Structures are given as C-alpha cells and as structure tokens.
Amino acid sequence: EAIASFECSLDMAAFTTCTSPINYTGLAAGNHNFRVRAIDNANNVGAPASYDWLVDPPPGCVIPPSGMVAWWSGEGNLTDRTANANNGTNSGVTFTPFGKVFQGMTFNGTGGHFSAPASASLDVGLSDGISIDAWFKPGGFAGPQPIVEWGNAGNIGTHFWHSVTYGGAVAPADLYINIVDTLGSSHIFYTDPNVLTAGVYSHVAFTYDKASGDVRIFVDGAPVPIGANGSPVGPGTTANIGTGITPQT
C-alpha cells in the first residue's frame, strides 16, 4: 500500500499528524527524541523511526536539573517545558525578545499575571522540600510584588515576593518567603533590603529542606543573610500556582 500520511512525536509525546519538513524551535537545553511513523492507505501503521540529539545550553547557561516539576521559560507562551504539562493561563502577560535567555515575560505591575491549576506534580508540599528560582528584572520597588505563589479562592499558600514590609521584613528591594504549612500557619523568611537593583536582571532563588527545616535564599548564585519569623513545618501547596499580581485574590 502507498503511504498516505505521517505521524510525528517529540520527546515521547503522543503521535500527531505531520508533514515534511517539520521544524521545532525554542527547545530546552538537554536531550531530545524525535519519532516518525508512516500510515498507508489501508491505515496500517508502520514501526517508527527514531532520532536522538542534545541541545547545548547557551553560553553561560547550564542544562536544567532533573526533578523539576514546572518550568515556564516564556518563549512566546506559558507552556510548562517539563513533562508535567503544568501550562499557564495568561491574564495580561506579554512577551519580550530581550529576556535573560532568549525571550522573557513582561508583567505590567497592575494586574498582569499567569496561573496554573493545582496538580499532583505541583503539590510539592508532599516532597522532601522545595526550590524556586527565576531570572527577574524588577521595574521598581514602589510596593510589594509576587514572584511565585500558591493560592486558591483567596487563600494564599506558600509564596515568594519582593519589596515586602511584614513579619520582620523591610522594603524596598528585599526578598520575602512565607512557607505556609498544612495547618495554615506562616513561617516567614526574608533578606535585608536592597538586595535587588531596578532594571537589572538578578537570579533569585530559595530552597527549603523539610527534614532539617533549613531555608536558604540566593541572589545571583550566592547565599544571602536571612532573618526568620518562625520555622517551617511542611508547606501546604495543594492549590493553584501563579505569578504576577496576586492572581488568587
């Protein structure tokens, strides 16, 4: 029988109809797999041909670590680049070609945000800890702004903000983490003010180890001194996740 059509699969996703040539852009650094199979006029499906390759990271970047539950790179969309498919819903986010690496997301500071629905993979409170990081260029420090937070129906869970004055934290340009436990209790950690610079990219991150209760905050790869108000017990994160302007409130 003559070949009637082809189906393709990228990175072990489900096969979908495709034509030749096929192009993929914006692929994450790391290993990738492409498969293609033919279907004849009698709907017989042939064995797939497969090709594997490695996308090198851009200069100065590293291959993403294993174990990530979500990665929104902002390459013109809010697709989660992990296999967990925690894709974002856009509410006023635009995209810029001038991101730190390739494209980036732009938030208007007055309501623009995106969110992803609750999922088993985003319920990181069940795991041994949590790490969150972002390349981030603040436009200013006029008031508190979220970087990432969990929340649902007005109930805010674990969150990572900047420029907050609360619970011992003092704005401007500080980093503020509130690890909300499964009982709804807050456990607040924060940096000194002025660890960020307006209009300049910084890599911001925090890590939390459940077994030890250890929390660390990093700016541009270096740990920074932190203050604390309480100690974490175990974050409650079974809720939607969002970034931008408190999308859950």
Side-chain angles (χ1 to χ4, degrees):
E1 294 284 347
I3 293 175
S5 63
F6 293 96
E7 291 184 331
C8 299
S9 164
L10 176 67
D11 294 337
M12 307 309 290
F15 280 95
T16 58
T17 301
C18 61
T19 58
S20 179
I22 186 169
N23 297 304
Y24 294 103
T25 61
L27 295 177
N31 293 302
H32 294 277
N33 169 267
F34 174 76
R35 296 178 296 158
V36 60
R37 64 189 184 186
I39 302 174
D40 65 22
N41 287 320
N43 287 323
N44 297 307
V45 180
S50 179
Y51 178 74
D52 297 287
W53 75 99
L54 173 68
V55 174
D56 290 327
C61 295
V62 297
I63 293 176
S66 62
M68 289 197 304
V69 298
W71 177 20
W72 298 282
S73 62
E75 299 300 328
N77 58 59
L78 298 173
T79 300
D80 174 13
R81 297 179 71 165
T82 76
N84 295 314
N86 293 302
N87 299 325
T89 298
N90 195 342
S91 295
V93 175
T94 58
F95 300 94
T96 172
F98 306 110
K100 180 64 177 179
V101 180
F102 301 124
Q103 296 187 59
M105 293 171 276
T106 299
F107 300 89
N108 59 19
T110 59
H113 68 272
F114 79 86
S115 60
S119 68
S121 58
L122 288 179
D123 186 11
V124 293
L126 296 178
S127 66
D128 295 331
I130 180 175
S131 296
I132 295 177
D133 71 284
W135 278 108
F136 168 60
K137 183 170 74 172
F141 308 111
Q145 300 277 344
I147 300 171
V148 179
E149 66 178 12
W150 279 259
N152 200 17
N155 298 313
I156 303 300
T158 294
H159 51 283
F160 185 20
W161 285 50
H162 76 90
S163 301
V164 173
T165 297
Y166 181 80
V170 178
D174 59 318
L175 292 171
Y176 170 94
I177 294 102
N178 186 350
I179 298 178
V180 181
D181 65 30
T182 52
L183 300 177
S185 299
S186 293
H187 307 275
I188 295 170
F189 299 84
Y190 49 87
T191 69
D192 291 334
N194 300 311
V195 299
L196 305 171
T197 302
V200 175
Y201 272 110
S202 292
H203 186 264
V204 297
F206 87 86
T207 63
Y208 161 58
D209 178 73
K210 185 186 292 185
S212 65
D214 182 56
V215 171
R216 298 186 183 186
I217 304 174
F218 299 84
V219 177
D220 294 329
V224 295
I226 63 173
N229 187 344
S231 57
V233 177
T237 59
T238 52
N240 301 329
I241 186 172
T243 185
I245 294 292
T246 50
Q248 291 81 30
T249 57

